Every structure is written in structure tokens, then in C-alpha cells.
Amino acid sequence: MESRAYRSAFLFLCAPRGMSVGHAGRGPRPKDSAMQKILRIDPKDNLIVALRDLAQGDIIENDGQRIQLVTDVPAKHKFTREPVPVGGIVTLYGVPVGKAVAPLQSGERITVDNVVHYAAEVDLSDAVPYMWKAPDVSRWANRTFDGVIRPDGRVGTANYWLIIPLVFCENRNALKLRDALERTLGYAGDHLADFARSLVGGTGCALAPRPFPHIDGIRAITHNGGCGGTAQDAWTLCRMLAAYADHPNVAGLTVFSLGCEKAQIGLFQEALRERNLGFDKPCILLRQQDWSSEVKMMEEAVRKTLAHFKNADLVERRPVPLSKLKLGVKCGGSDGFSGISANPVIGEVSDRVVTLGGGSSLAEFPELCGVEANMISRCIRKEDKARFLELMRRYEAAANACGASISDNPSPGNIHDGLITDAIKSAGAAKKGGKAPISAVLDYAEPMPDSGLSLVCTPGNDVEAVTGLVAAGVNVVLFSTGLGTPTGNPIVPVIKVATNTAVAERLSDLIDFDCGPIIDGEPIAAAADRLLEKVLDTASGRYSTKADRLGQHDFLFWKREVSL
């Protein structure tokens, strides 16, 4: 069952008399509800979203009001419902999202030239108890997915061997070991190499049969840290790598160290103990400066790694309840449809998983800029309210020190496709977190609880954010995009969710799921049903994400300090 909030926001998609519907044109009103061309998301909004390209002179009908457009309004962009003076506030999703810097006429498109970012001040004393109605999850209560159960009872969605360098100097060795094992053990083909070989008259090389069928792959992380930076960044990197090593999707790991870096083996081992005092996975440590020959070290790496594969292969998937899901929700390459199609669908899936006893984590603090009051109101604990606000203010202060603001987040692509201010982008981005109460507020590299909705402090940067979500402990990532992005992760599947059918079809090799039908009339609940099924297939290993098929195994940790 859809929540009241979703029904009010999306009634136009499935009901004949929705309060926020309207049409544009100079002829009679179309009878087909799928022909709706505009959306007024909240009754309080003085901005209206164009669902189709609208032309100057078109007459808009909305709630008995007739508005003549004074500018062209491309699909995904917003126009004013009423005149707005200089300094006046424009609202969307029921919240302030901008301030007029030029007088706006009724029916005028907002742009970066006439509106700037604006968000209401937040005061913790204004917070009131948060109430929500959990979704009906009875149809999912007895469903399972085929998970990888570790000895400590934690559940993974894959079974990988992980190779990590403690310093950028060892990236090459990590990749060399991965490449040697992948092709030898039948895990990875090389389409481009086979294609190049075909151009010079050669033939492709068939993959060897896989001798370890229950090991899903060998994954290597590369990064630009570990030395030449501050001690704090070295510690953050070690905490991130420890989180990946301890993740239930990892069976064991091979670690390369140079020997003289700041991210010493001892520091990494300390981070492992902090993460999990009972950590007992196979962990092969190789320090290059202890070896007289790189060739001999690499041979030893292969020998020791392969010696552990027999035990790693003993793991088999077994049915587990949906309470073992831990979702990470993220958006990137967002557009003007993100907040009304893909993000609310992801939010509905998140609410269902949380209601079933699972966990969900919402990242990207710059994309919560402008909706702080809503986030604070949803925090269960007072200390989380205060911590969220403190992390946001600390982040803004760091940006200010560089002559910037976190409100500078929207990219040229975002702006071109209708996200004019960071508050507009944030109000839509926050929809990924659904309506559930917030159980925890986490800094980067901190572990999430097993259940409930968490906020994870990460940048908006796609890879840094997904890297942080996985470090928090998510075992599936839902990633919405309106423009398309190739982001993936080494050890956790990343499901790409398109906000519109055009991008889903044009970039079909990147996109796993299409929320475009929402714009044409599919109810949110129906799309959420489809997406949750995709999550279960992915978590069970029955579906391989497009990111995994393309080898998009990205890792980028957030360096907060400076290079020295």
C-alpha cells in the first residue's frame, strides 16, 4: 500500500481528478491521463514541473487556474504559478528551494539567472516528534533471497576474494595479481583485447572453466592514498580498507604494502581490530621492501592466495529473510525527473526493507542541503539530530575555507536538465530515503546498524559516496540516474535505476531498471514491486548488474586533508 505522502504527490499518475494535475495547450483538455504535461508536486508549491516540452504562449490549467507561459519550458524544468518579486521564495516538494534575484512573472521558467539557492534556517528547538505510517509489507514477509552466510551470521550478496594495496605505489601489483588469477581461473574475458586481436586476424581466447564455482570473482582495489598526505587521511584509508576486508561479501584478502608508507601494515591491522575484534578471515600480508625480487613476491602472492581458494569455495548460497538486506541509496547524473520517478521508487523500496527489519543508508550530505529540517525531524534520537547538523556545518565550513559552498553541488548536467539550485536537487534526492525514521547518523567509514534508516556523511561525488556506503556495510546499492553514469563497486552490486525511459534505452548497457513509466502513469507501488524483485534477484546472484558486466569496479575514498 502506498503512503499518504506518495498518494498525494503522485495522484496525477493514476486518478482522474488529482489535485496537482494539469495540461497545456490551446485546444480541448486531453482525455488520456497519460497525456498530462505538468505536475504540481505539493499544494503549497508555487513552482510547477513540466513533464513534456512546453512552448511560450501555451495555456496551463491547474486546480482551476489558467496560466499562460511567457517562456518556453523544456521537460524537467520548472515554471512559476504566480508572480514572484525579487527576494521572493520559490517552493517545490512543499519546501523553499530558491530565492528570486529578478522579478518572475506567472508562467516563467526559472533559471540560474533568475533564481539562486535558498534554504530555511534550521533550529533544533523547532523539532517535533516524527510520525510515519509504515508500508504494508505482508506480501514480502515470507520472501527470501539466496545469501552468503558467514560464520558470524552476517549475510553477503556475493563471495569475492579481495586484493588491496595500502599505498598507491602497490596499485600495479594488486592489478597484476588480479589479472593473473582472473583469466587463469575463468573469471574475466577481455572484449577489447579480443576485438583488437580480431582486427589483426587473430581469434578470441576462450575463458578457462572455473574450478571454484562458489567464488564469484577476484576483485582488486586501487587508490591514490596511503602516503604523501596527512596522518588522518592514512587512518581514514586504513579504516575504509578494513571495512571492505570485513564486509560479508569478502571471503579473504591479499594485502600489498611497500614498507615505508604512512598507511603501515600495523595501522591497517589496528583498523581491522577496531572494525571487528573477532576478524578471522584469511589475510595475506606482503611488504615489498622485505623482498629482493618483485617477481618472487608476486609468485608468493599467487601461491598463498590460491592456497585459500579451496576453503573460500565451500560457501554456498542459502535462503535468508529480507531482514538481512542492507541497502545503500545514491543518485548521480540526476535530472529534473529524479525526484518524481526513480528516487521515490527507491524510497519506497527502502521503506519496505526497513519495515521488514533490514537496513538502509542514505548518503551525500551536500544533497541534503536545503532539507536539513526534514532530516532532523525524522531522527529518533536527539544526539543524532545534533550530530547531523554538526556534520553539515563542519562540511560547509570546510567548503567555505576553499572559497566554495556545499550548495555549489549541482553540475552543469544537473542544471541543464532542470536542477537549478542545490535545494531543488536535495529535495528530490532525499526522496531516496523514503519516509522511515532515521535510526543513526554516521560519519564516513563508520558501520551502519543492521536495521533502520541511517544517514551516511559522504560527498556527492558518485564514487566517493558509493565507496562510503559499502564501507558502512550495505550489501546492495540502488543508484538512480537521469543522465547516465558508469559507477560501480568492487565488492557490492550497484543497480542503476533510470529516471526516464529515453536514457534507459539510449544507455541500455549501463541501466538495470527503468522508472520512466512513472512519468507516463505507472503507480509508484507497482514500480517499487518490480524494483524490489530486481534487488532480490541481484542479492541472490541470479542477476548480474550492468556495472559488473562492464567491470565498473570503482573505489575512491574521501581525502579530507591535503597532500604533503
Side-chain angles (χ1 to χ4, degrees):
M1 180 182 295
E2 294 178 358
S3 69
R4 180 179 178 183
Y6 284 132
R7 287 201 304 271
S8 64
F10 288 90
L11 192 59
F12 84 106
L13 293 173
C14 52
R17 294 188 300 157
M19 59 186 245
S20 299
V21 303
H23 88 288
R26 300 176 179 85
R29 183 184 184 92
K31 295 180 180 180
D32 185 355
S33 63
M35 294 295 292
Q36 295 297 344
K37 293 188 176 182
I38 66 166
L39 169 63
R40 186 174 169 208
I41 299 172
D42 188 279
K44 299 187 292 291
D45 292 348
N46 60 6
L47 293 180
I48 295 176
V49 183
L51 302 180
R52 307 284 187 269
D53 289 342
L54 305 176
Q56 180 180 358
D58 281 354
I59 303 297
I60 302 300
E61 296 182 8
N62 177 251
D63 285 354
Q65 180 185 10
R66 289 171 61 85
I67 306 167
Q68 184 170 18
L69 297 182
V70 297
T71 60
D72 292 339
V73 185
K76 308 179 185 180
H77 285 256
K78 292 82 183 167
F79 62 90
T80 53
R81 187 173 184 264
E82 60 196 14
V84 181
V86 173
I89 304 303
V90 292
T91 56
L92 194 70
Y93 300 100
V95 298
V97 293
K99 179 183 290 187
V101 293
L104 296 169
Q105 303 177 61
S106 176
E108 182 174 354
R109 171 191 172 190
I110 65 166
T111 70
V112 292
D113 297 319
N114 56 33
V115 169
V116 296
H117 171 81
Y118 172 82
E121 289 292 326
V122 178
D123 186 347
L124 286 176
S125 64
D126 292 337
V128 296
Y130 180 70
M131 304 293 292
W132 86 303
K133 183 179 180 181
D136 180 1
V137 295
S138 55
R139 66 168 289 187
W140 304 96
N142 297 318
R143 292 291 302 275
T144 62
F145 69 95
D146 295 333
V148 176
I149 304 176
R150 298 299 177 188
D152 61 5
R154 292 184 300 160
V155 174
T157 56
N159 186 36
Y160 294 121
W161 189 271
L162 183 62
I163 305 168
I164 61 175
L166 295 183
V167 63
F168 55 82
C169 309
E170 293 297 318
N171 284 344
R172 178 175 49 85
N173 285 332
L175 294 178
K176 282 171 64 178
L177 178 59
R178 179 203 65 187
D179 293 346
L181 295 175
E182 276 191 335
R183 181 55 75 101
T184 302
L185 301 178
Y187 287 102
D190 190 336
H191 167 74
L192 286 181
D194 289 344
F195 176 69
R197 197 175 292 112
S198 72
L199 295 179
V200 294
T203 58
C205 294
L207 288 178
R210 286 174 50 177
F212 304 106
H214 301 303
I215 298 177
D216 294 312
I218 299 108
R219 298 293 168 83
I221 285 173
T222 61
H223 57 80
N224 67 341
C227 205
T230 65
Q232 182 60 41
D233 271 342
W235 174 239
T236 299
L237 174 63
C238 285
R239 293 182 77 200
M240 293 295 295
L241 295 176
Y244 275 58
D246 187 52
H247 197 284
N249 282 13
V250 171
L253 63 155
T254 304
V255 182
F256 286 102
S257 162
L258 178 60
C260 57
E261 66 270 17
K262 282 190 173 179
Q264 289 279 300
I265 286 177
L267 195 64
F268 172 68
Q269 291 173 321
E270 181 183 346
L272 273 178
R273 288 190 295 271
E274 178 196 67
R275 186 74 181 200
N276 182 358
L277 193 60
F279 182 86
D280 61 356
K281 294 178 184 178
C283 182
I284 301 163
L285 300 168
L286 297 157
R287 184 162 39 211
Q288 184 162 7
Q289 289 173 348
D290 292 343
W291 291 78
S292 61
S293 163
E294 182 176 296
V295 171
K296 290 181 179 179
M297 181 186 73
M298 295 304 295
E299 288 176 347
E300 183 71 357
V302 172
R303 184 179 298 110
K304 286 189 171 182
T305 300
L306 282 175
H308 288 287
F309 272 34
K310 184 176 180 179
N311 283 336
D313 191 54
L314 295 177
V315 171
E316 293 189 34
R317 293 180 180 271
R318 297 194 313 215
V320 293
L322 271 57
S323 60
K324 297 300 184 180
L325 284 173
K326 298 174 82 171
L327 299 180
V329 296
K330 169 74 176 81
C331 56
S334 300
D335 70 352
F337 285 163
S338 294
I340 61 177
S341 63
N343 289 351
V345 171
I346 289 174
E348 174 74 9
V349 172
S350 174
D351 281 347
R352 293 179 187 186
V353 169
V354 168
T355 302
L356 288 163
S360 181
S361 286
L362 173 65
E364 304 179 277
F365 274 29
E367 295 181 23
L368 298 177
C369 177
V371 292
E372 294 93 339
N374 176 261
M375 295 295 106
I376 287 171
S377 73
R378 292 167 59 183
C379 289
I380 297 172
R381 303 183 304 166
K382 288 183 178 179
E383 52 265 42
D384 284 328
K385 297 176 189 286
R387 192 179 196 207
F388 171 68
L389 198 56
E390 189 273 330
L391 285 170
M392 289 290 285
R393 288 173 174 167
R394 190 201 313 170
Y395 203 148
E396 176 65 10
N400 292 164
C402 300
S405 167
I406 58 176
S407 65
D408 297 336
N409 176 274
S411 69
N414 296 151
I415 293 167
H416 179 270
D417 270 48
L419 301 177
I420 302 303
T421 71
D422 193 33
I424 291 176
K425 185 176 181 181
S426 296
K431 298 295 183 184
K432 301 189 305 293
K435 297 291 183 181
I438 294 167
S439 302
V441 175
L442 313 172
D443 203 353
Y444 204 62
E446 291 182 345
M448 66 187 284
D450 290 335
S451 60
L453 176 65
S454 302
L455 301 183
V456 182
C457 184
T458 77
N461 178 294
D462 291 351
V463 181
E464 288 175 337
V466 173
T467 299
L469 283 170
V470 173
V474 308
N475 52 26
V476 176
V477 174
L478 291 175
F479 191 118
S480 65
T481 181
L483 306 176
T485 173
T487 302
N489 184 262
I491 63 170
V492 168
V494 178
I495 300 172
K496 299 297 179 32
V497 182
T499 72
N500 62 90
T501 299
V503 78
E505 293 177 346
R506 186 173 68 254
L507 301 177
S508 60
D509 66 330
L510 300 180
I511 302 299
D512 299 285
F513 188 89
D514 179 17
C515 277
I518 293 291
I519 304 301
D520 293 322
E522 182 182 26
I524 280 247
D529 286 345
R530 293 191 295 115
L531 182 54
L532 186 47
E533 291 289 357
K534 178 73 73 174
V535 169
L536 300 186
D537 284 344
T538 303
S540 299
R542 295 187 295 267
Y543 176 79
S544 175
T545 65
K546 301 293 181 67
D548 276 336
R549 297 179 208 178
L550 291 171
Q552 294 164 348
H553 302 146
D554 308 306
F555 178 95
L556 187 62
F557 87 101
W558 183 16
K559 291 182 66 174
R560 292 178 169 176
E561 310 296 333
V562 297
S563 292
L564 302 176

